[in-house]
Amino acid sequence: MLLTKWGKALDREHPLSEYPRPQFVRDSYISLNGEWNLSFYEKGTFVSLEEHKITVPFSPECPLSGVERELKKNEYMVYERQFTLPDGFNKGRVILHFGAVDQTADITVNGRYIMRHEGGYTPFECEITKYLKDGENTLTVKCEDVCEDNEFSRGKQRKKRGGIWYSPQSGIWQSVWLESVPEEYIHSVRITPDFDKERVHFDFAGANRVNIRIYDGDTLIADTDEQTVMLPDFKPWSPESPFLYDVVFTYKKDKVKSYFGMRKFSTGTDKNGVQRLFLNNKPYFHNGLLDQGYYPDGYLTPPSNAAMEYDVKTVKVLGFNMLRKHIKIEPLLWYHYCDKYGIIVWQDMINGGGNYGAEVSVIPFVGIKLDDTNYKNFHRTSDKAMALYYKELDEMLNHLYNCPCIAVWVPFNEGWGQFDSAVAYKFIKAFDKTRTVDSASGWHDMGVTDVISKHIYFTPIKVKAGGKPYVLSEFGGLSTRVSGHTFNDKMFGYKIYKDCHSLTRAYRRLFDNVIIPQIKDGLSATVYTQVTDVEDELNGLLTYDREVLKVDADTVKDINERVRL
């Protein structure tokens, strides 16, 4: 079993216990992470097959759960735990929050059914005030998950894992927690910086005439109930200077703390007439890594919040300025670390659909582009699953909108369950005009997108600049095995090297001879595969347990000083 240092030190009674929502903070918080009861049932029955103690929020399949048992296709799970509210906790309403539950969740409190949520990667909440009683309360969560068998979103999970597909997991995999709010409270806020007009705009749900106080450090610079606030001579956010303004919202008895960054993401033409990605009205090269966000001991769930922070800080120290969050929605603290340390994020939507075939593994490499309005081309035929895609897309956009770090939305990757990408582009742009959209990362681009997006692993990389910024949204994947730091004995990589020294030399050649010379020709962004090894994939800069950096740090830093405009 491969464990991270954070997994070895796990506090099973209080795992991942930090406040989970730094973009919208109240002083009311009870973590429900820790030991729960878990039972497996055969579908259509109410007789338990097995009973376990599980450490939430780790899925039962992963080592840190204490269960290490896969949910089978003909089964469902029931989680249960008791909780008692402290005296004075209830300010009027009690809200129950789930960070993510894969794939469906039915919620019951004290035997009374409350709600159902479908979709394994987005958060949800429900008010439980009227279901509570004095003393001990019982929370029950029923979960079903069939991975790829229902065309729902599943990410990189596959029942038969291997290669670029990873171990399946199910059930609760992000934090569960309670907060209390007054009867009248701020349900949510959308924060939109307007870089050009030197102002920031706030849209509130559930409240009006909210008092807004904006701080530059400890200095109060605005105190108003106007939704649009002027910020003359503001401090911009960038990877080089990731300045964040603190803000406090007060509505009647409700008080919320948040933050924002003043930045602008756009596209435009540089002084040489080449299309580029822009940051704060200037051409800016996005130099980043593909980031799967997997761990050998927690799978999709980080073994601690410090583990997430370590990944972000390591990438920053090495000189990168961007991460492409690949086919996963992280806990909000991960985005907070990117906001804080200055890492631009490209955010993928989660893929779904049927079992993938030649449309992703063969056809793109012989120059054929398929029409994604013909749903059979991409095995996306379930009306329910396609409707759920847009529900989850909307939930993701709302969930992450206030993160200053996010620059690019990626609705589809490599044709995995792709459908109507032009519609998805318009859907995203109608919701969020402040960010760039890479509609079909890799291939099967229908022409309705903000960038030319290419994945190139096997053929020579030749940049062909055009009417949109050219981004190399995946490449590299150079691999080597570090004994004692691998998930198993298998090895997947696009090019394999015998040791870390030869890997470093190949990495330098790739950038010196191929990448850096083509920046002047129109290359506007690079996403190297990848941050860490993941299961069979041994193509990370770091080993899967984060113990070994497989490339020489000084070499990477030197290269990154030159991967820029």
Side-chain angles (χ1 to χ4, degrees):
M1 181 189 301
L2 187 66
L3 297 174
T4 63
K5 62 182 179 182
W6 304 281
K8 293 175 184 177
L10 179 69
D11 179 355
R12 291 192 175 275
E13 293 184 2
H14 307 98
L16 296 153
S17 59
E18 296 92 335
Y19 190 89
R21 192 181 59 188
Q23 294 84 354
F24 199 75
V25 178
R26 290 190 174 94
D27 61 5
S28 169
Y29 172 59
I30 296 176
S31 174
L32 296 183
N33 292 344
E35 186 179 274
W36 292 48
N37 296 317
L38 177 68
S39 297
F40 291 85
Y41 294 86
E42 185 175 357
K43 289 183 179 178
T45 73
F46 299 97
V47 178
S48 176
L49 298 172
E50 294 179 27
E51 296 181 357
H52 299 266
K53 299 291 185 181
I54 185 170
T55 302
V56 169
F58 298 102
S59 292
E61 290 85 353
C62 74
L64 293 183
S65 70
V67 178
E68 296 188 78
R69 199 271 207 194
E70 185 175 317
L71 178 68
K72 299 180 176 63
K73 183 177 180 179
N74 64 334
E75 295 177 341
Y76 67 94
M77 297 182 296
V78 176
Y79 290 79
E80 184 177 282
R81 72 154 290 164
Q82 282 70 44
F83 65 91
T84 301
L85 298 181
D87 291 342
F89 177 78
N90 187 353
K91 301 176 182 179
R93 301 177 187 270
V94 177
I95 312 296
L96 172 63
H97 295 268
F98 292 87
V101 182
D102 195 12
Q103 289 174 304
T104 65
D106 291 283
I107 312 302
T108 303
V109 173
N110 293 326
R112 300 176 65 185
Y113 183 78
I114 297 177
M115 69 169 294
R116 178 179 177 87
H117 182 266
E118 294 182 321
Y121 288 79
T122 50
F124 60 97
E125 64 185 58
C126 50
E127 184 181 348
I128 61 172
T129 316
K130 66 181 181 181
Y131 304 99
L132 297 172
K133 61 184 181 181
D134 294 336
E136 190 173 79
N137 294 272
T138 300
L139 169 60
T140 305
V141 183
K142 176 186 174 184
C143 301
E144 296 184 52
D145 183 359
V146 295
C147 201
E148 67 262 42
D149 291 339
N150 60 2
E151 294 195 18
F152 284 14
S153 298
R154 60 182 181 273
K156 299 293 287 286
Q157 302 177 65
R158 181 175 283 182
K159 289 287 186 180
K160 293 183 179 179
R161 55 154 304 282
I164 67 168
W165 306 104
Y166 311 144
S167 297
Q169 63 171 74
S170 51
I172 299 170
W173 68 273
Q174 288 194 31
S175 289
V176 186
W177 55 287
L178 296 168
E179 71 172 337
S180 186
V181 297
E183 288 284 347
E184 296 182 90
Y185 68 103
I186 303 169
H187 294 192
S188 64
V189 61
R190 284 183 61 179
I191 305 174
T192 306
D194 189 334
F195 191 93
D196 293 335
K197 296 183 178 179
E198 298 184 294
R199 65 188 186 183
V200 59
H201 184 75
F202 303 93
D203 287 302
F204 298 97
N208 53 44
R209 306 302 291 182
V210 175
N211 176 253
I212 301 167
R213 293 186 178 186
I214 300 175
Y215 293 85
D216 177 342
D218 295 329
T219 303
L220 179 67
I221 61 171
D223 185 349
T224 181
D225 59 3
E226 296 294 327
Q227 288 183 253
T228 300
V229 183
M230 300 303 299
L231 293 175
D233 301 318
F234 63 81
K235 297 176 182 178
W237 182 96
S238 71
E240 292 72 30
S241 180
F243 184 82
L244 299 170
Y245 288 95
D246 293 319
V247 59
V248 178
F249 307 117
T250 305
Y251 174 66
K252 298 185 178 180
K253 296 180 180 180
D254 193 22
K255 184 177 181 179
V256 177
K257 297 178 182 179
S258 187
Y259 65 86
F260 63 90
M262 293 297 294
R263 83 290 181 264
K264 178 183 178 182
F265 298 115
S266 58
T267 61
T269 306
D270 69 12
K271 62 182 180 181
N272 297 316
V274 177
Q275 287 291 311
R276 298 288 188 186
L277 298 173
F278 273 50
L279 171 63
N280 300 338
N281 291 326
K282 297 178 181 178
Y284 191 87
F285 195 95
H286 291 208
N287 172 25
L289 300 170
L290 197 70
D291 187 3
Q292 314 272 5
Y294 270 76
Y295 300 85
D297 43 12
Y299 294 2
L300 282 175
T301 309
S304 76
N305 290 314
M308 291 192 293
E309 186 174 20
Y310 175 84
D311 283 2
V312 174
K313 289 179 71 173
T314 299
V315 166
K316 183 71 175 183
V317 168
L318 289 173
F320 296 96
N321 62 30
M322 177 262 280
L323 287 168
R324 179 180 167 204
K325 181 48 63 178
H326 194 39
I327 316 296
K328 182 190 179 188
I329 300 170
E330 290 283 4
L332 280 171
L333 273 162
W334 183 85
Y335 300 92
H336 173 66
Y337 298 137
C338 293
D339 294 336
K340 176 181 176 181
Y341 294 114
I343 292 291
I344 291 170
V345 172
W346 293 18
Q347 177 63 50
D348 288 8
M349 177 55 184
I350 314 304
N351 59 292
N355 290 310
Y356 309 143
E359 79 280 5
V360 304
S361 61
V362 177
I363 288 175
F365 302 104
V366 294
I368 298 175
K369 180 170 68 175
L370 298 177
D371 180 4
D372 67 11
T373 64
N374 182 345
Y375 303 149
K376 291 182 180 179
N377 281 341
F378 294 92
H379 302 275
R380 198 76 184 238
T381 56
S382 166
D383 290 339
K384 180 177 181 179
M386 287 190 283
L388 181 60
Y389 171 90
Y390 277 101
K391 173 180 174 289
E392 289 184 276
L393 178 60
D394 183 72
E395 289 175 346
M396 181 186 77
L397 296 173
N398 274 289
H399 182 49
L400 301 179
Y401 183 85
N402 290 341
C403 301
C405 60
I406 295 179
V408 178
W409 300 114
V410 184
F412 295 106
N413 175 75
E414 293 186 350
W416 299 351
Q418 182 174 323
F419 71 104
D420 293 337
S421 60
V423 176
Y425 174 90
K426 294 171 185 175
F427 181 92
I428 294 170
K429 284 293 189 179
F431 182 92
D432 182 4
K433 296 179 176 62
T434 70
R435 293 177 169 106
T436 305
V437 177
D438 177 1
S439 298
S441 186
W443 39 78
H444 301 305
D445 171 10
M446 297 293 104
V448 184
T449 183
D450 292 329
V451 295
I452 300 168
S453 178
K454 300 294 183 183
H455 296 182
I456 303 175
Y457 289 107
F458 302 111
T459 57
I461 296 171
K462 180 60 178 175
V463 173
K464 296 180 180 179
K468 300 171 185 176
Y470 184 105
V471 302
L472 190 55
S473 44
E474 284 187 36
F475 77 108
L478 310 183
S479 306
T480 195
R481 174 185 296 276
V482 179
S483 179
H485 298 276
T486 59
F487 183 75
N488 56 27
D489 294 330
K490 296 181 180 180
M491 184 170 186
F492 175 88
Y494 298 101
K495 291 184 180 179
I496 297 173
Y497 297 87
K498 64 180 181 179
D499 55 34
C500 293
H501 178 68
S502 58
L503 176 67
T504 298
R505 291 172 57 193
Y507 184 88
R508 179 183 282 282
R509 286 196 304 271
L510 175 59
F511 278 86
D512 284 350
N513 299 337
V514 179
I515 299 303
I516 294 172
Q518 295 195 79
I519 293 175
K520 68 180 186 308
D521 299 327
L523 182 60
S524 295
T526 49
V527 181
Y528 179 87
T529 302
Q530 58 186 333
V531 175
T532 73
D533 295 346
V534 184
E535 300 199 352
D536 296 0
E537 285 194 72
L538 303 186
N539 50 19
L541 298 186
L542 290 161
T543 54
Y544 199 12
D545 57 7
R546 278 73 169 170
E547 289 292 328
V548 180
L549 179 65
K550 300 196 290 181
V551 290
D552 177 68
D554 289 336
T555 297
V556 176
K557 291 176 187 177
D558 172 69
I559 290 168
N560 284 336
E561 283 294 318
R562 295 179 288 121
V563 182
R564 59 180 63 194
L565 296 175

